Amino acid sequence: MSVQPVLSALPDGWPEWAAAVVVVVGVLVGLVAAALIADNRRPSSALGWVLAVVLVPYLGLVAFLAIGSPRLPRGRREKQRRFDARVLEQLTDGAPVRLTPTDEQLPALRTIHTMNRRLGAMPVLSGNAADLLEDYVGSLTAMTAEIDAAERFVHAEFYILALDVTTEPVFAALERAAARGVTVRVLFDHLASLRVPGYRAMVRRLRSSGVLWRRMLPVWPTSRELLRVDLRNHRKILVVDGTVAFTGSQNVVDAAYGKRSNRRRGRRWVDVMARFTGPVVTALDAVFAADWYSETGELLDSGPSAPAPRPAPDGAGLQAQVVPSGPGFEQENNLRLFVSLLHAAQERAVVVSPYFVPDESLLLAMRSAAERGLTVELFVSERGDQRLVHHAQRSYYDALLRSGVRIWMYPQPYVLHAKTLSVDDEVAVIGSSNLDMRSFELNLEVCVLVRGAGFVQQLRGVEDLYRSRSRELTAAEWRRRGLPARTADGLARLASALV
């Protein structure tokens, strides 16, 4: 190897052996950096970061040091571990899972429940009931009614909390609850809510309301924690008195997300929420309590006087398991849940996700399910609200279509924001998690795995509604897209492991 180019770049008088040392040290540093980047990281993500460091040496290295680790600060991870141990002590499994026809159709479900318990600490709980709410304003109205009925406590946790004409009734109900002596605790993600118009007015309203509130994962220049603008809390949970809970995809913000440009274009977000009663409410409240503990250091304890969650009537109950995930856990709990269910499917799998940027395992699971002869459908927005993610998502359509996956495009200007998975006729997942690398690695998410034909039948109705409004993307149409679109999709895919 010639060192003359390196030698010419060194100051005058440097011997040639110095150039050789520079080259060797540079290679060694590069190898060590690549090894450290690849340690316990999926190959696609590691390759993306290595390329960033190599192609843009200084900025790439700074970016990796700032946001390269998909983990919360050590103190928060320790809090999560301590809280998980507490959950394992206090929450017990519900009624034993009996062998039913569902077990014959989805024999792996029992092992999936075991995996979820090991990774996220939450048990399978029987005797639950649930209703789906797909009307945007109707969902907020239902949550407002439950807050107005609260007698003991209200726990609200949302990625985006915004004060506007649509959400005013929610804030008013929180104030009324606090005024009559109900303990009201509210969490919202700092940066996500900060981006919505009217943030300062919302904070002023909370300060004068008697509500206990905190920003989640706050980014302050004076913070003692490592500032991580990319790690966000994306959960959506409302728990009232420990007897009723809501979770799903919807934030507390108007359907246009407070933006005039969205209103001009008629862009509205389309969401779905689930209203749960029964023992699973306790598990959802435990997720809230873990986040409250992370932000305040206060361990919540409802005490012996707390009423037990009302179980569903015998024979009508759903089995439900809450699956929390995020950078506070060692593994990607939600990714493992989705992949395991897709591999376990026997007849049908329907995926609804606004941001679909899968890793290799999820893409393989969907394609394999279709190639095994199952009906596999994917519902996405025709035009996404995030350009880079939208193009990265499109880069996977060709492989899915060739495998036989049916892709349904929800018409623009609407943003299909629901996040659900249904498998066969008895199992479904609803929650806050998208099917992209941000939700798998960087966001704190919550999902509920539900087993019960009645719940899946409700979800099928929502899927039928989406299908009636959407158009199916065909392989022939996709092959006709122009070179500019192909180029944009391909370039976005290069960054898909990092978005």
Side-chain angles (χ1 to χ4, degrees), residues 171-241:
F171 282 84
L174 293 173
E175 290 173 334
R176 289 192 294 268
R180 63 177 182 269
V182 174
T183 301
V184 181
R185 298 181 177 93
V186 172
L187 293 170
F188 58 87
D189 186 83
H190 183 194
L191 290 188
S193 298
L194 181 63
R195 295 198 305 263
V196 179
Y199 173 78
R200 291 184 178 179
M202 187 264 290
V203 169
R204 288 195 299 269
R205 181 75 172 267
L206 288 175
R207 284 174 176 164
S208 64
S209 65
V211 170
L212 304 173
W213 61 278
R214 290 291 189 278
R215 302 171 178 90
M216 294 187 292
L217 300 175
V219 178
W220 300 111
T222 58
S223 173
R224 290 178 297 175
E225 295 181 313
L226 179 65
L227 301 182
R228 291 296 301 272
V229 297
D230 58 324
L231 302 183
R232 308 314 318 154
N233 194 316
H234 194 242
R235 293 167 178 158
K236 293 95 176 171
I237 300 171
L238 175 68
V239 179
V240 177
D241 287 346

Side-chain angles (χ1 to χ4, degrees), residues 155-337:
H155 290 163
E157 173 178 350
F158 288 89
Y159 177 59
I160 294 177
L161 186 68
L163 176 61
D164 52 51
V165 174
T166 303
T167 65
E168 164 63 30
V170 178
F171 282 84
L174 293 173
E175 290 173 334
R176 289 192 294 268
R180 63 177 182 269
V182 174
T183 301
V184 181
R185 298 181 177 93
V186 172
L187 293 170
F188 58 87
D189 186 83
H190 183 194
L191 290 188
S193 298
L194 181 63
R195 295 198 305 263
V196 179
Y199 173 78
R200 291 184 178 179
M202 187 264 290
V203 169
R204 288 195 299 269
R205 181 75 172 267
L206 288 175
R207 284 174 176 164
S208 64
S209 65
V211 170
L212 304 173
W213 61 278
R214 290 291 189 278
R215 302 171 178 90
M216 294 187 292
L217 300 175
V219 178
W220 300 111
T222 58
S223 173
R224 290 178 297 175
E225 295 181 313
L226 179 65
L227 301 182
R228 291 296 301 272
V229 297
D230 58 324
L231 302 183
R232 308 314 318 154
N233 194 316
H234 194 242
R235 293 167 178 158
K236 293 95 176 171
I237 300 171
L238 175 68
V239 179
V240 177
D241 287 346
T243 59
V244 61
F246 295 78
T247 193
S249 65
Q250 187 172 344
N251 292 294
V252 179
V253 62
D254 78 274
Y257 274 50
K259 296 184 178 180
R260 293 180 180 177
S261 59
N262 288 338
R263 295 192 187 97
R264 285 197 303 269
R265 287 182 286 181
R267 176 181 283 177
R268 298 290 187 273
W269 268 243
V270 177
D271 284 286
V272 64
M273 295 288 281
R275 177 187 182 275
F276 287 99
T277 57
V280 71
V281 173
T282 304
L284 283 167
D285 197 37
V287 177
F288 174 92
D291 290 333
W292 186 262
Y293 177 48
S294 292
E295 300 303 340
T296 68
E298 177 188 3
L299 272 172
L300 301 180
D301 188 352
S302 55
S305 62
R310 296 187 298 267
D314 187 37
L318 305 170
Q319 287 181 344
Q321 184 177 32
V322 173
V323 182
S325 60
F329 295 92
E330 295 300 322
Q331 306 294 338
E332 302 97 333
N333 302 353
N334 48 354
L335 174 60
R336 281 160 170 72
L337 170 64

